[in-house]
């Protein structure tokens, strides 16, 4: 397909579809990374949990806000990505990559897609117990979440570093109207704020 | 008043505007001929410029050979001209990129594009080649809509794309096909490794 046509198709795709298109093949992923198609992303919430990281995206579509969830789960030999809610059961196994790397690459694509000011950016932390309350028990078993202890501190540190690295790499500052951050240790936040403010 | 007593009015026939339609003839790469109205052709910037440059009269259109469109087959061209005839006279949208436009697919277009993926991609390619802005808009929108709610594996099937693994395997196979000696060397190398030997170098 000609370049112009590909750009046009990507322009018509919503951000959620683009995230999935990035997993189709390397060629598509490279093209998306290169063209950075704009989205109507309004808000983003990251939930950092012991064995997974969730990205909740609020996307404006035909005047209405749609919320989509992407969950990056630690898998015994790689990464599993969960689209939508647990109940819709759309899991994909994504290569042997670490789930945090897959999350970071998607996060970059998501943040790159927002040209103007993002309305809200939230970072929340959730324990395994909170996660259990959010989703039903069968899903927890099916995804082996009970067996998988994970490392909460490592995930949180990785997420903070990812966002910090992304902000550092940008030529233009990333604009957000409202930031909410839930964090356990103050040092992590201070380090992150220091990076963000220093660069922008 | 009876019919016999009705006033007789002389009508100057030349004064009545007669809609003068000119139909151009086009030929696809598989030698299928199509007659398309002048107004419908205006939807395609490429064809419109072409017929303007040719400056054909009504007689030329009938007597000269059909205009050949080398890159598009008959099946695709039929869809393109059906679309152009249905939308003839409509304003051509200008995409200056200033305002994001919401593209809606009309019922006729949706029915027209209810075709297999291979033909749909040919239609998009033809719309791009012939520079039919609105047809390109709706067909791209259709492809974008096809991505909704699908997993990457399903998307691979929809867009007929290989996975990274398949892509790499195909590349390897192509390389091996080009250079059969490379495979022999690799096999020899593997055999030596199994026997505990060192590499060739």
């Amino acid at each position: 397909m000609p370049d112009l046509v590909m750009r046009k198709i990507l322009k018509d795709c919503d951000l959620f579809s683009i995230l999935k298109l990035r997993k189709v093949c390397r060629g598509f992923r490279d093209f998306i990374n290169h063209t950075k198609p704009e989205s109507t992303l309004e808000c983003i919430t990251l939930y950092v949990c012991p064995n997974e990281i969730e990205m909740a995206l609020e996307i404006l579509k035909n005047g209405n806000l749609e919320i989509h969830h992407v969950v990056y789960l630690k898998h015994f030999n790689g990464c599993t990505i969960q689209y939508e809610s647990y109940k819709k059961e759309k899991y994909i196994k994504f290569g042997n990559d670490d789930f945090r790397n897959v999350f970071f690459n998607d996060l970059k694509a998501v943040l790159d897609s927002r040209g103007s000011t993002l309305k809200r950016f939230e970072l929340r932390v959730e324990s395994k117990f909170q996660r259990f309350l959010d989703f039903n028990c069968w899903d927890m078993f099916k995804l082996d979440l009970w067996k998988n202890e994970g490392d909460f501190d490592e995930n949180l540190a990785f997420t903070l570093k990812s966002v910090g690295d992304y902000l550092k790499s940008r030529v233009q500052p990333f604009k957000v109207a409202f930031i909410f951050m839930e964090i356990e240790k103050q040092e992590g936040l201070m380090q992150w704020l220091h990076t963000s403010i220093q660069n922008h | 008043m009876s019919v016999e007593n009705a006033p007789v009015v002389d009508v100057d026939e030349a004064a009545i505007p007669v809609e003068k339609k000119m139909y151009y003839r086009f030929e696809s790469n598989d030698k299928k001929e199509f007659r398309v109205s002048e107004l419908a052709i205006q939807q395609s910037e490429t064809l419109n410029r072409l017929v303007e440059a040719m400056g054909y009269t009504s007689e030329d259109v009938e007597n000269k050979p059909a205009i050949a469109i080398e890159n598009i087959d008959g099946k695709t061209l039929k869809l393109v001209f059906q679309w152009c005839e249905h939308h003839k006279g409509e304003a051509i949208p200008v995409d200056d990129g200033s305002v994001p436009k919401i593209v809606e697919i009309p019922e006729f277009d949706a029915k027209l594009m209810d075709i297999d993926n291979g033909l749909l991609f040919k239609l998009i390619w033809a719309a791009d080649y012939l520079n039919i802005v609105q047809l390109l808009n709706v067909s791209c929108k259709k492809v974008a809509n096809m991505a909704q709610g699908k997993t990457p594996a399903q998307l691979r099937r929809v867009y007929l794309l290989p996975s990274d693994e398949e892509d790499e395997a195909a590349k390897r196979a192509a390389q091996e096909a080009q250079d059969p000696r490379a495979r022999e060397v690799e096999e020899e190398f593997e055999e030596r490794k199994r026997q505990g030997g060192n590499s060739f170098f």
Side-chain angles (χ1 to χ4, degrees), chain A residues 8 24 26 29 61 90, chain B residues 137 148-150 156 164:
Chain A
K8 229 174 166 52
V24 167
R26 190 170 290 123
R29 191 156 52 251
K61 200 171 179 186
K90 276 185 182 168
Chain B
N137 283 346
Q148 280 183 359
K150 291 195 172 63
R156 259 177 230 125
D164 286 349

Side-chain angles (χ1 to χ4, degrees), chain A residues 126-168:
Chain A
E126 275 195 358
S127 67
K128 192 185 268 187
F129 180 67
Q130 275 174 302
R131 212 69 189 149
F132 175 69
L133 293 177
D134 287 348
F135 304 108
N136 71 49
C137 193
W138 170 237
D139 289 321
M140 299 286 282
F141 277 114
K142 204 156 46 178
L143 291 167
D144 285 344
L145 293 187
W146 289 118
K147 291 181 201 165
N148 197 345
E149 279 305 317
D151 191 333
F152 179 76
D153 288 340
E154 215 177 284
N155 289 350
L156 186 60
F158 182 89
T159 308
L160 287 171
K161 190 179 176 302
S162 303
V163 178
D165 285 351
Y166 170 77
L167 292 175
K168 264 192 236 172

Side-chain angles (χ1 to χ4, degrees), chain A residues 1-13 18 21 24-25 27-32 35 37, chain B residues 121 124-125 128 136 140 143-144 159 161:
Chain A
M1 277 285 170
D3 217 56
L4 175 98
V5 176
M6 291 294 292
R7 280 170 196 266
K8 229 174 166 52
I9 292 170
L10 290 178
K11 209 171 158 186
D12 283 330
C13 285
I18 284 175
L21 285 169
V24 167
C25 67
F28 232 138
R29 191 156 52 251
D30 291 345
F31 187 79
I32 291 168
T35 53
Chain B
F121 290 127
I124 294 176
W125 194 90
D128 180 53
L136 190 61
C140 286
V143 174
Y159 297 132
L161 290 166

Side-chain angles (χ1 to χ4, degrees), chain A residues 36-165:
Chain A
K36 297 182 175 45
E38 271 210 24
S39 73
T40 51
L41 177 75
E42 296 278 296
C43 309
I44 175 168
T45 308
L46 304 177
Y47 294 94
V48 180
C49 316
N51 35 34
E52 63 191 69
I53 300 173
E54 181 180 333
M55 192 154 64
L57 309 166
E58 290 178 41
I59 303 164
L60 195 66
K61 200 171 179 186
N62 302 330
N64 299 316
L65 264 187
E66 279 184 2
I67 305 176
H68 294 281
H69 300 263
V70 190
V71 186
Y72 303 86
L73 295 139
K74 187 177 177 180
H75 195 269
F76 65 93
N77 62 349
C79 167
T80 301
I81 306 171
Q82 156 77 57
Y83 291 104
E84 296 293 349
S85 68
Y86 276 73
K87 281 165 193 155
K88 287 199 177 172
E89 294 180 14
K90 276 185 182 168
Y91 318 120
I92 66 152
K93 165 81 177 64
F94 189 71
N96 298 323
D97 288 349
D98 185 283
F99 77 108
R100 289 175 296 211
N101 289 335
V102 180
F103 154 75
F104 180 45
N105 288 330
D106 275 1
L107 180 69
K108 276 195 284 189
V110 165
L111 296 176
D112 273 342
S113 74
R114 182 69 196 185
S116 51
T117 308
L118 188 75
K119 284 193 178 160
R120 199 175 70 244
F121 178 91
E122 289 187 33
L123 179 78
R124 293 179 179 272
V125 291
E126 275 195 358
S127 67
K128 192 185 268 187
F129 180 67
Q130 275 174 302
R131 212 69 189 149
F132 175 69
L133 293 177
D134 287 348
F135 304 108
N136 71 49
C137 193
W138 170 237
D139 289 321
M140 299 286 282
F141 277 114
K142 204 156 46 178
L143 291 167
D144 285 344
L145 293 187
W146 289 118
K147 291 181 201 165
N148 197 345
E149 279 305 317
D151 191 333
F152 179 76
D153 288 340
E154 215 177 284
N155 289 350
L156 186 60
F158 182 89
T159 308
L160 287 171
K161 190 179 176 302
S162 303
V163 178
D165 285 351

